[in-house]
Amino acid sequence: PFPSYSKVEKKLADSGIKNLTPDEYRQIPPVQAMLKDRRISDTIYQQFLDGMNHQTKFARSISRLSPSAVYSYATSTLARTDLSSYENFMRRLRQHREKYDEAVIVARSGKKVNPKEYEFLFVPESLQDSSRSALLDICLLILINILLFMMAHLFFIRYEV
């Protein structure tokens, strides 16, 4: 769902970003204007992503009724390609971009910037952490297997005459 205009205005007001007239906007140095535009677009995009993530998590909860979906969720969590891994990566990327924007401002002011300080480093969660995250899906798979085996066994005993 796309955020309504009033929600976006409220989110921008809460973040401390105020609307500027065109004359005020022209007086801002270009780098600050670029950063202001980026913060506004990031705020709108983040609100959109929050709504999408809510829908995705809701759909994922419902689809857990299917053993194939549970298997898919467990394997994607173990492989660190699930939604939470993506969210962690995107959060780290936003933090890096903010740090990089600060470096641009510092460099534009004439100070020397060490590029090594602004390298993008992302360390995915460990296998132990992803195993812990996948534990619910794995337990659910085991439970479904036991349940289906018991049902098949009962039908087999009942059918045999």
Side-chain angles (χ1 to χ4, degrees):
F2 292 102
S4 68
Y5 185 74
S6 60
K7 286 184 180 179
V8 171
E9 271 190 333
K10 183 180 181 325
K11 189 81 168 176
L12 290 174
D14 292 346
S15 66
I17 300 172
K18 70 175 195 128
N19 291 333
L20 299 176
T21 65
D23 292 329
E24 290 174 327
Y25 193 79
R26 281 188 215 103
Q27 293 173 359
I28 298 176
V31 174
Q32 274 88 8
M34 177 195 71
L35 295 177
K36 181 175 178 51
D37 290 344
R38 186 177 290 167
R39 276 185 279 157
I40 290 171
S41 64
D42 283 352
T43 303
I44 294 168
Y45 186 66
Q46 187 59 44
Q47 190 173 7
F48 171 74
L49 280 181
D50 290 344
M52 290 294 290
N53 288 342
H54 178 70
Q55 286 181 350
T56 304
K57 288 176 182 176
F58 179 71
R60 190 175 177 163
S61 308
I62 292 173
S63 66
R64 276 209 164 92
L65 297 173
S66 166
S68 64
V70 174
Y71 177 77
S72 174
Y73 296 149
T75 55
S76 66
T77 302
L78 289 173
R80 297 179 212 123
T81 57
D82 61 331
L83 182 63
S84 66
S85 297
Y86 172 75
E87 288 172 345
N88 290 338
F89 176 77
M90 293 307 288
R91 185 178 332 104
R92 180 66 185 108
L93 192 60
R94 272 191 303 280
Q95 290 170 350
H96 171 70
R97 190 171 69 190
E98 289 169 4
K99 192 174 176 185
Y100 184 79
D101 289 344
E102 291 172 10
V104 168
I105 292 172
V106 169
R108 292 272 175 124
S109 69
K111 295 180 183 172
K112 191 161 178 109
V113 176
N114 182 5
K116 294 281 185 190
E117 289 181 33
Y118 301 101
E119 287 182 357
F120 178 69
L121 299 173
F122 176 70
V123 180
E125 64 181 6
S126 68
L127 185 60
Q128 182 180 7
D129 291 338
S130 60
S131 299
R132 200 173 302 127
S133 299
L135 191 61
L136 171 70
D137 293 322
I138 293 170
C139 289
L140 202 54
L141 271 176
I142 292 170
L143 181 68
I144 290 171
N145 280 331
I146 290 171
L147 231 143
L148 291 176
F149 177 76
M150 286 173 47
M151 287 175 52
H153 185 69
L154 284 175
F155 284 131
F156 181 75
I157 291 173
R158 191 171 169 203
Y159 189 71
E160 194 176 316
V161 177

